[in-house]
Amino acid sequence: MNSFGVRFSITTFGESHGSAIGCIVDGVPAGLLIDESYIQSEVDRRRPGLTKFATQRKESDTVQILSGVFEGVSTGAPIALVIYNENQKSSDYESIKSLFRPAHADFTYFKKYNIRDYRGGGRSSARETAARVAGAAIAKKLLETFGIKVQSGIFAIGGIEAQNIDFEYAKTSEIFALDRLKEEAQKEAIREAQKDKDSIGGCAYVKILNAPIGLGEPLYEKLDALLGGALMGINGVKAVEIGEGINASKLRGSQNNDQMDKTGFLSNHSGGILGGISTGEDITLKIHFKPTPSIFLNQSTQDTNAEPINFTLKGRHDPCIAIRGSIVAEAMAALVIADTLLLNASATVENLKKIYGNN
Ligand SMILES: Cc1cc2nc3c(=O)[nH]c(=O)nc-3n(C[C@H](O)[C@H](O)[C@H](O)COP(=O)(O)O)c2cc1C
């Protein structure tokens, strides 16, 4: 499956070292202002090669709109976005042509499809996530129309956790750090891993503001299930927490319950979701990324003939995928909210009457 979403959907195409990657965005209501420079600025946030804390693959990641937009607004037709690949170095991958990189998708893709696109990981490469971010920029524009905002940043690197959350600061930080007081220690943990020819794990934090009450489709398309599935679907994500998350399993009900008075909720342990439906409070998510599989130490693995082999990888890789991954997490969360927002518009007769009147 290369498509995501029901009412507002994306379909991505392309491989890491193919000619292009791209995204078809379907279900965009007509009349939405589509600002090409905004889509570009969103894609630029996850662009490789910008700092020494990201892979040194240099790509301009220039987005072109091919269809679905006329005179700056969506027409209701599918919007096709394309990004041409510019800086493929397939020779970097010659040496791993017939072996499986530990913790990457090489083994499972080969066993499932019996084809080895060794050039940068082919379709399993996180390069595909640039196409998702481009499509999600349109979702974010739609959400903005209704005052809904999705923000992200880095909560933890190698277990060094933020104490304060500052999304504005994260925008200015090379590693999107949410806590300026923890940023240097987090950077140092990445530098240490790089010095050791290794990589390091991290945790991104996403907050959705002003989501209306009612998003999410019980029982099998609950908002928490949709967000969990969308975020777990990002390369390298190993766990997702909503609100109090795993900590809730250590609490008593009296500590975890969000009590109410006539103004609303007095706390937000639920992370803005109850019974699979948004409560109108902030939706808070933690997304845990594993360390980058591609490291530069000698490792043991198998080749495609199941023979054991030792190898040392060459090439350009992110030392910590959580950093650029946080932008992808923000994008996937925006796609889920846009989709559920459109689905919810027909949830009640009352809603439909607002569109079609009473007769
Ligand atoms: C933004 C982003 C950048 C990534 N960069 C790299 C990379 O440079 N090298 C690498 O080996 N894996 C990288 N990954 C992770 C792999 O794509 C991922 O681990 C692999 O596809 C296997 O999937 P899994 O970890 O979900 O099982 C990146 C992931 C993301 C989200």
Side-chain angles (χ1 to χ4, degrees), residues 46 55 101 103-105 124-127 129 232 234-238 289-295 313 316-319 321 323-326 328:
R46 97 157 268 295
T55 172
R101 287 167 299 169
H104 218 292
S124 76
S125 162
R127 176 119 191 89
T129 61
M232 286 295 288
I234 300 171
N235 317 35
V237 171
K238 299 314 284 179
F289 288 84
K290 73 186 191 184
T292 317
S294 299
I295 56 174
L313 200 68
R316 303 164 296 177
H317 294 278
D318 288 284
I321 60 180
I323 299 171
R324 295 195 303 128
S326 65
V328 185

Side-chain angles (χ1 to χ4, degrees), residues 99 136 145 149 166 179 195 230 257 273 288 290 292 299 359:
L99 59 81
T145 316
K149 200 166 170 185
D166 183 346
D179 186 343
K195 214 162 58 193
N257 291 357
I273 305 172
H288 298 265
K290 73 186 191 184
T292 317
Q299 297 182 86
N359 301 316

Side-chain angles (χ1 to χ4, degrees), residues 37-84:
S37 63
Y38 175 73
I39 299 177
Q40 189 62 57
S41 67
E42 283 295 292
V43 170
D44 286 349
R45 293 170 67 212
R46 97 157 268 295
R47 190 146 63 94
L50 290 183
T51 75
K52 50 191 176 306
F53 299 103
T55 172
Q56 292 309 300
R57 179 170 170 164
K58 299 262 191 279
E59 301 265 6
S60 74
D61 277 2
T62 306
V63 186
Q64 283 178 37
I65 300 178
L66 300 183
S67 68
V69 179
F70 182 63
E71 295 183 337
V73 292
S74 57
T75 62
I79 298 176
L81 305 169
V82 70
I83 300 171
Y84 287 99

Side-chain angles (χ1 to χ4, degrees), residues 49-180:
L50 290 183
T51 75
K52 50 191 176 306
F53 299 103
T55 172
Q56 292 309 300
R57 179 170 170 164
K58 299 262 191 279
E59 301 265 6
S60 74
D61 277 2
T62 306
V63 186
Q64 283 178 37
I65 300 178
L66 300 183
S67 68
V69 179
F70 182 63
E71 295 183 337
V73 292
S74 57
T75 62
I79 298 176
L81 305 169
V82 70
I83 300 171
Y84 287 99
N85 290 328
E86 292 163 352
N87 193 219
Q88 310 95 304
K89 274 176 75 180
S90 300
S91 56
D92 279 351
Y93 293 87
E94 279 290 330
S95 59
I96 59 145
K97 204 171 177 166
S98 56
L99 59 81
F100 305 128
R101 287 167 299 169
H104 218 292
D106 304 341
F107 175 78
T108 45
Y109 268 59
F110 183 71
K111 291 290 175 189
K112 184 175 171 75
Y113 299 110
N114 207 22
I115 287 172
R116 177 91 172 93
D117 181 356
Y118 60 89
R119 306 158 312 150
R123 185 74 182 149
S124 76
S125 162
R127 176 119 191 89
E128 180 270 347
T129 61
R132 303 187 199 195
V133 171
I138 297 175
K140 286 181 76 176
K141 270 281 158 204
L142 177 68
L143 298 182
E144 236 176 57
T145 316
F146 303 99
I148 305 168
K149 200 166 170 185
V150 188
Q151 298 174 300
S152 70
I154 284 295
F155 180 74
I157 303 281
I160 303 165
E161 291 189 356
Q163 304 297 323
N164 294 303
I165 303 293
D166 183 346
F167 289 104
E168 286 311 307
Y169 185 72
K171 285 184 196 159
T172 69
S173 159
E174 283 183 310
I175 58 163
F176 306 132
L178 286 161
D179 186 343
R180 70 173 75 214

